[in-house]
Amino acid sequence: AHAAIDVTFPINANHSLEIRVDGRYERRWTDFLQAAARPGYYEFTRSGIALTWSWQDRLQVSALARVDTLNLSLGNVITSPDGSRSEFPWFYPAGEIRYMFIPGSTLRLFGGMTPGGRLCSGGVCRDVPPFQGALLELVLRI
């Protein structure tokens, strides 16, 4: 089951506020390509909320929070350099600032955590590693 709600509120001619909530509950058969796959079904939740303030179409400031239990349902653990092991977190807070300085070209600063995992869009899937930290990204379009 998947659901998404996206609502934007105009504040005045230059400012707006957007709230996006999405949720997914999935039940899947174990992926036989995973190294430690055990046959059977597993269930997990991937949900999130984003609150974004925008100034014109130039500046966006977002507060984000995600809940992801995929790694917990698969029994995955994190092994630290010192050899200690712990479960993956299930809560992933983050924040983002994005500035478009010319049409199509942006500067983006992201800080926080993302769960990673398999992301699919338009029939194409890719595996993304978990991330924790800060990221500065410059996108130039010609």
Side-chain angles (χ1 to χ4, degrees):
H2 300 236
I5 299 171
D6 193 346
V7 180
T8 302
F9 302 99
I11 298 172
N12 62 31
N14 293 318
H15 302 273
S16 66
L17 190 63
E18 177 184 14
I19 299 171
R20 177 172 172 74
V21 179
D22 65 274
R24 297 171 58 172
Y25 169 79
E26 296 194 20
R27 184 173 190 239
R28 291 188 186 168
W29 182 259
T30 305
D31 185 349
F32 67 91
L33 296 176
Q34 291 177 334
R38 295 182 306 258
Y41 285 101
Y42 60 98
E43 298 174 352
F44 62 94
T45 300
R46 283 186 163 173
S47 302
I49 186 167
L51 178 63
T52 302
W53 166 79
S54 297
W55 174 71
Q56 298 178 348
D57 62 347
R58 298 280 181 184
L59 178 66
Q60 296 176 330
V61 179
S62 300
L64 315 154
R66 295 213 60 79
V67 171
D68 192 309
T69 62
L70 174 61
N71 285 303
L72 293 177
S73 69
L74 292 173
N76 292 340
V77 294
I78 300 169
T79 303
S80 300
D82 65 1
S84 63
R85 295 166 59 103
S86 64
E87 292 183 338
F88 272 80
W90 58 271
F91 180 69
Y92 297 85
E96 179 179 274
I97 300 171
R98 183 182 305 249
Y99 180 69
M100 183 172 56
F101 50 93
I102 57 176
S105 297
T106 58
L107 181 64
R108 173 182 165 238
L109 174 63
F110 173 88
M113 301 169 64
T114 60
R118 182 160 293 166
L119 299 177
C120 299
S121 177
V124 176
C125 297
R126 61 188 175 110
D127 290 319
V128 178
F131 178 78
Q132 180 175 352
L135 175 70
L136 182 62
E137 179 181 76
L138 175 64
V139 176
L140 299 173
R141 304 227 189 238
I142 300 174

